[in-house]
Amino acid sequence: MVNYIPEPFRIKMVERIRILPRSEREEKIKQAAYNLFNLKSEDIYIDLLTDSGTNAMSDLQWSAMMRGDESYAGSRSYLRLLETGRDIFNYHYLQPVHQGRAAEKTLFPLLLKKGKYAISNTFFDTTRAHVELTGARALDAVVAEAKNPSLRAPFKGNMDLKKLQDLINVYGNKVGLIVMTITNNSAGGQPVSMENLREVSKIAKKHQIPFCLDAARFTENAYFIKMREENYQEISLKEIVREMFGYADMFTMSAKKDAILNIGGLIGIKDNEELYQKVCTQTISYEGFISYGGLAGRDLEAMATGLYEGLDENYLHYRIGQIEYLAGKLDEAGIIYQTPAGGHGLFIDAKAMFPHIPYYCFPAQALAVELYKEAGIRTCDIGSFMLGCDPDSGRQLESEFEFTRLAIPRRVYTQSHLDYVAEALINIKKRSHEIKGFKIIWEPSVLRHFQAKLEPL
Ligand code: F0G
């Protein structure tokens, strides 16, 4: 039994949500062609589709927005963001952009091109896509323990150092970039240890390969280091963050996660002025002038305030505790998920829940659809449905995992919402043998899970 850690805030504004009757939910999901991206948000009771941009901002963030300086150039809000970023990350150069993938689109073509390779613990989909859009190839090298959901290990997001070294031995100077995703989203929101960052940094330096952090969930990662890694218990989160970022040369960040925003992104360059100048030129072409980078002055203010709020230890204690509480409820019911609980959510092992549904009938999508029908909860498939087909043979690929992701938005849902989610999963598990898989009746050529149409088998 894991105790719920009370929220370190009180609520002064609410947003109505409602649950439709079961017969209407069944009709809505049918009309949505069994793809949860096609549902209207007003038809959802609890929305765990993503923790990205779905966060609740604080009174301080909303009031900072009123001070937003909307000047085209030289905005005061931009200067405040630079000051904040320098204080937290100890990086000389920072460039705001409108979200994480804009950071990737701006930075990666400056480092990669056709014939090059980029290596990550695990690339997130958009990060992989932006590596491949430069013509380069993206390779993953996560530690083996990440692949066993029932195995409890403290840093399942780590890079497999031997695999990294082997890939460098094979591809030599064609390796143009190393990316560490912190926390490792696709492996279940699992953290990367400081030791692993230090070792990857040594390898990158030895081979003169630029080292970039994909830092969307950097405060959750820092909190896990403080809790789980030897010698970090007495170190402040800010010092941990500075050490983490100190090992890298640059970062891309979706600020829609740990900076507790609804929109925003950031690029950081530690000290390479020449690279920063190129980032500025790219930003002006794609995002707008450097002092706003695709955002309004008010968004820059919300980011500057949110970066500090995301680093608050009381908040992180509650945030990670909330997910561990939900995990504890699932443990009691024997529901298997990527253990230990991730920083931004739980990744339910749908293969374990529905052993009778083969990967090509999409067990994780079946669980996502069932959660909506059962309780009006929206989640998403991180499995073979998302992975897609081999581009050469056109055959369905088998994913290493069949996860249904319950991503928890920050400061949005309460204990009773989580109890309700656990209850829905437990009810589904009781009749898991009755649940059937799906087949795809239409799909687009890329990133199919956003648009594909399905039919129950
Ligand atoms: N990197 C990671 C690790 C991410 O999780 C995401 C987004 C991005 C980059 C791209 O950032 O959305 O601001 O352009 N992840 C979201 C998710 C969409 O649901 O996990 P973005």
Side-chain angles (χ1 to χ4, degrees):
M1 183 61 197
V2 178
N3 285 333
Y4 190 87
I5 293 160
E7 283 79 5
F9 52 82
R10 53 185 178 179
I11 297 166
K12 71 163 120 187
M13 188 191 281
V14 296
E15 183 180 0
R16 188 187 80 129
I17 50 176
R18 57 167 188 158
I19 181 155
L20 297 177
R22 180 164 184 126
S23 58
E24 281 185 46
R25 296 198 297 273
E26 284 180 353
E27 192 47 40
K28 297 281 181 194
I29 192 71
K30 188 173 170 197
Q31 282 166 9
Y34 299 95
N35 185 331
L36 293 110
F37 286 95
N38 289 336
L39 287 172
K40 289 188 189 139
S41 65
E42 64 182 15
D43 296 334
I44 289 153
Y45 184 43
I46 294 185
D47 202 348
L48 308 183
L49 183 65
T50 179
D51 63 318
S52 180
T54 51
N55 307 302
M57 290 208 296
S58 68
D59 53 347
L60 294 181
Q61 285 175 294
W62 281 108
S63 56
M65 286 181 81
M66 298 304 289
R67 295 197 305 271
D69 174 355
E70 305 300 345
S71 305
Y72 192 95
S75 150
R76 184 176 66 232
S77 306
Y78 166 70
L79 299 176
R80 183 176 164 235
L81 178 65
L82 294 191
E83 204 178 300
T84 307
R86 284 179 186 149
D87 177 42
I88 294 176
F89 307 114
N90 202 20
Y91 271 35
H92 201 69
Y93 303 109
L94 293 149
Q95 178 57 58
V97 288
H98 83 272
Q99 65 181 86
R101 66 200 74 182
E104 295 150 15
K105 182 184 175 193
T106 303
L107 183 64
F108 289 176
L110 303 173
L111 302 159
L112 295 168
K113 59 179 186 211
K114 194 167 170 20
K116 293 273 185 185
Y117 291 82
I119 306 170
S120 177
N121 47 350
T122 316
F123 281 103
F124 178 69
D125 340 6
T126 63
T127 323
R128 180 185 307 278
H130 281 293
V131 164
E132 296 192 339
L133 281 167
T134 69
R137 294 278 306 276
L139 307 169
D140 290 338
V142 74
V143 287
E145 55 258 39
K147 296 177 186 167
N148 178 356
S150 329
L151 183 87
R152 191 169 280 273
F155 293 104
K156 283 168 99 170
N158 278 352
M159 181 86 86
D160 180 333
L161 297 172
K162 177 167 183 310
K163 190 162 177 200
L164 172 65
Q165 189 60 64
D166 289 349
L167 288 169
I168 295 172
N169 294 343
V170 172
Y171 295 109
N173 61 10
K174 290 191 188 134
V175 181
L177 187 65
I178 295 175
V179 177
M180 273 291 239
T181 313
I182 55 171
T183 58
N184 189 333
N185 183 1
S186 311
Q190 297 294 317
V192 171
S193 71
M194 194 72 94
E195 190 196 354
N196 196 248
L197 283 168
R198 198 179 298 129
E199 293 304 315
V200 170
S201 158
K202 276 188 205 155
I203 294 174
K205 282 208 173 68
K206 184 169 142 206
H207 298 276
Q208 297 182 315
I209 303 168
F211 180 20
C212 180
L213 298 180
D214 176 0
R217 300 180 179 88
F218 73 102
T219 75
E220 289 165 6
N221 201 92
Y223 183 79
F224 282 123
I225 288 176
K226 187 169 168 103
M227 292 300 121
R228 295 181 186 172
E229 196 161 346
E230 214 180 325
N231 299 329
Y232 283 94
Q233 280 71 43
E234 303 304 321
I235 315 270
S236 75
L237 284 168
K238 190 164 142 189
E239 282 174 273
I240 292 175
V241 165
R242 279 181 165 227
E243 185 178 342
M244 282 161 55
F245 282 73
Y247 292 125
D249 305 306
M250 61 196 79
F251 69 82
T252 55
M253 182 187 291
S254 167
K256 299 171 71 174
K257 283 85 168 172
D258 279 2
I260 325 186
L261 297 178
N262 304 123
I263 193 72
L266 203 56
I267 298 171
I269 310 283
K270 197 198 278 166
D271 49 22
N272 182 338
E273 188 183 350
E274 197 187 326
L275 180 63
Y276 169 66
Q277 288 305 342
K278 290 183 186 160
V279 164
C280 292
T281 308
Q282 290 267 96
T283 302
I284 294 170
S285 304
Y286 294 133
E287 293 285 286
F289 190 61
I290 54 172
S291 64
Y292 70 89
L295 294 168
R298 55 181 170 272
D299 300 323
L300 304 174
E301 289 284 345
M303 199 191 307
T305 303
L307 281 166
Y308 284 122
E309 289 186 8
L311 253 186
D312 177 72
E313 195 168 332
N314 286 330
Y315 151 74
L316 283 165
H317 182 57
Y318 141 79
R319 159 93 179 141
I320 304 295
Q322 194 182 41
I323 295 163
E324 286 172 348
Y325 169 82
L326 178 58
K329 296 237 145 195
L330 303 191
D331 287 340
E332 284 167 26
I335 293 172
I336 298 175
Y337 56 90
Q338 174 68 299
T339 39
H344 65 294
L346 284 184
F347 290 57
I348 311 296
D349 186 346
K351 209 192 297 195
M353 190 175 294
F354 305 136
H356 56 285
I357 304 181
Y359 70 92
Y360 50 84
C361 300
F362 314 124
Q365 180 67 9
L367 179 56
V369 169
E370 205 54 36
L371 271 166
Y372 179 70
K373 289 204 287 192
E374 171 73 25
I377 298 164
R378 175 157 70 171
T379 55
C380 71
D381 170 291
I382 309 260
S384 298
F385 174 53
M386 185 172 103
L387 187 64
C389 296
D390 183 309
D392 300 324
S393 68
R395 289 237 304 271
Q396 173 65 48
L397 293 165
E398 179 173 4
S399 172
E400 276 179 300
F401 308 109
E402 300 295 343
F403 286 140
T404 303
R405 183 178 77 168
L406 276 52
I408 312 291
R410 293 167 187 76
R411 306 190 292 210
V412 171
Y413 293 114
T414 63
Q415 180 175 10
S416 52
H417 289 125
L418 298 190
D419 287 341
Y420 175 87
V421 170
E423 204 181 304
L425 276 163
I426 293 165
N427 288 343
I428 293 169
K429 181 164 187 271
K430 281 186 196 146
R431 50 181 180 79
S432 58
H433 56 280
E434 289 169 14
I435 313 292
K436 298 209 168 63
F438 282 86
K439 69 171 183 201
I440 294 178
I441 52 171
W442 177 84
E443 62 184 290
S445 56
V446 284
L447 291 169
R448 72 170 181 200
H449 57 292
F450 291 111
Q451 291 180 289
K453 295 183 179 170
L454 299 110
E455 220 172 59
L457 288 167

